[in-house]
Amino acid sequence: MNNIKIITSTTREGRKGIAVANWITELVKQGNKYNVELLDLAVINLPFMDEPSHPRLKQYQHEHTKKWSATINEADAFIIVLAEYNFGFPAPIKNAIDYLYAEWMHKPIAFVSYGGVSGGLRSTQMLKQVVTAIHMMPVVDQVNIPFFGKYINGEGIFTADEVIVKSAEVMLKELEKWTEALKALRQ
């Protein structure tokens, strides 16, 4: 089975997006088509980019970078659970991406975004520019969740409606196709 990494985008205390990340992780596991790992950037706790050499060189000095490199390198595909802060993407996800280069290349990436009225569409469009610069393939189909807080109950559990689930299923089918197609580029 292919390895998929689902990555959160925020690290702040009290964040709500972790509920969305837990939901999509469980949905992907139910499909039984991937080995699934949720990478919570709050737990991983990467410092602000601190490597002295450019990531293209892979001359990592710090243990946290070496560990992050190994984790990302073993992935065949990604889903970023993406918040929208001030019409853009949160700094922690950009920092996590910027640590590496070759480890991301020629791998598909899908987005589950959330926010207010836009459902995170603006942050997704901005981050697509970043990931294509490192030779990733953004999947066109994505999940956008406007007013996402209404789907989170008092226990912090996200429960998707039928439209959200259907959009996730379509996205996952496309992600699976791109995962297989891009393997040849990485060989």
Side-chain angles (χ1 to χ4, degrees), residues 51-92:
E51 286 291 334
S53 298
H54 193 285
R56 285 181 191 227
L57 302 174
K58 291 184 83 172
Q59 296 173 348
Y60 305 132
Q61 303 297 308
H62 303 294
E63 196 56 40
H64 56 261
T65 310
K66 292 174 185 175
K67 186 175 178 184
W68 184 237
S69 171
T71 299
I72 296 306
N73 198 52
E74 69 186 16
D76 296 302
F78 300 94
I79 297 173
I80 293 182
V81 180
L82 188 60
E84 183 171 298
Y85 286 2
N86 301 317
F87 290 13
F89 51 80

Side-chain angles (χ1 to χ4, degrees), residues 21-183:
N22 289 331
W23 164 76
I24 193 64
T25 300
E26 290 308 310
L27 187 68
V28 175
K29 285 180 180 178
Q30 289 172 15
N32 208 25
K33 296 188 181 208
Y34 289 101
N35 294 315
V36 183
E37 183 180 11
L38 174 58
L39 303 176
D40 184 351
L41 292 182
V43 174
I44 294 167
N45 198 26
L46 288 169
F48 197 68
M49 174 56 152
D50 62 351
E51 286 291 334
S53 298
H54 193 285
R56 285 181 191 227
L57 302 174
K58 291 184 83 172
Q59 296 173 348
Y60 305 132
Q61 303 297 308
H62 303 294
E63 196 56 40
H64 56 261
T65 310
K66 292 174 185 175
K67 186 175 178 184
W68 184 237
S69 171
T71 299
I72 296 306
N73 198 52
E74 69 186 16
D76 296 302
F78 300 94
I79 297 173
I80 293 182
V81 180
L82 188 60
E84 183 171 298
Y85 286 2
N86 301 317
F87 290 13
F89 51 80
I93 190 63
K94 178 69 163 70
N95 186 54
I97 291 168
D98 287 347
Y99 259 92
L100 309 173
Y101 182 74
E103 295 88 341
W104 301 109
M105 289 180 72
H106 304 123
K107 295 177 182 178
I109 184 166
F111 296 92
V112 174
S113 66
Y114 60 93
V117 69
S118 79
L121 278 171
R122 295 172 289 220
S123 63
T124 303
Q125 288 307 107
M126 291 176 79
L127 197 56
K128 281 182 178 181
Q129 294 175 31
V130 173
V131 300
T132 56
I134 53 176
H135 304 274
M136 296 183 84
M137 174 51 76
V139 172
V140 173
D141 298 293
Q142 58 193 46
V143 180
N144 307 103
I145 309 167
F147 304 111
F148 76 103
K150 70 182 181 182
Y151 299 101
I152 300 174
N153 68 18
E155 288 80 48
I157 306 293
F158 179 88
T159 304
D161 65 19
E162 185 179 337
V163 172
I164 295 169
V165 171
K166 181 67 177 165
S167 65
E169 290 169 349
V170 169
M171 178 195 74
L172 290 170
K173 284 180 185 173
E174 279 300 298
L175 185 62
E176 184 181 356
K177 290 175 192 173
W178 280 104
T179 301
E180 290 304 317
L182 292 175
K183 278 184 175 180

